[in-house]
Amino acid sequence: MGFLSNLKKDLQAAKAKKAAQINGKTLKGLLKQFKEERDRIEKETGIRPQIDDTTKMYMQKILNVWISEGKEIDEEKFWVEVDYNRQFSHPVEFYEIKH
């Protein structure tokens, strides 16, 4: 019976990992669109608009997960990267506070 329960857990973990990858790609695409829109508005008006609420919500969730994992995140550095859509170009260690 243990083999079947382990197989079931492995399948669930694999599905969750696949879903996370798909969600990450979707999120990255959305963030790129939001960034391009901010760039366009900045070019037209000369003023860079604030990050929209949807982006803030997604990125706050990511930030909360990292903090809950015990990482000390430089939030100012994190949000600057979010604003310019570079947040997926670096590993999480890039955002950690160096002691």
Side-chain angles (χ1 to χ4, degrees):
M1 202 62 173
F3 172 74
L4 290 177
S5 65
N6 287 343
L7 181 62
K8 185 176 178 180
K9 287 178 186 177
D10 290 345
L11 284 173
Q12 287 175 336
K15 285 180 183 179
K17 185 176 179 181
K18 180 74 172 172
Q21 288 174 340
I22 291 169
N23 290 341
K25 288 178 183 178
T26 302
L27 173 59
K28 190 170 183 177
L30 285 172
L31 292 174
K32 185 176 182 182
Q33 289 175 346
F34 295 149
K35 183 241 185 226
E36 289 169 352
E37 181 65 15
R38 286 195 312 275
D39 289 347
R40 184 188 63 75
I41 293 169
E42 182 180 28
K43 190 174 186 179
E44 290 176 3
T45 65
I47 300 170
R48 187 162 188 85
Q50 293 291 318
I51 300 170
D52 60 277
D53 290 339
T54 305
T55 303
K56 284 182 184 177
M57 180 185 69
Y58 283 129
M59 299 316 297
Q60 190 65 52
K61 286 182 179 184
I62 291 171
L63 186 60
N64 290 343
V65 168
W66 288 351
I67 291 171
S68 73
E69 290 175 348
K71 298 182 183 337
E72 290 184 53
I73 303 297
D74 182 339
E75 291 190 38
E76 184 176 337
K77 189 176 187 181
F78 177 84
W79 287 107
V80 166
E81 292 287 302
V82 169
D83 188 38
Y84 290 94
N85 195 38
R86 297 182 296 232
Q87 70 276 9
F88 290 103
S89 302
H90 307 288
V92 64
E93 291 78 18
F94 174 82
Y95 304 100
E96 290 186 288
I97 298 172
K98 307 290 186 230
H99 293 286

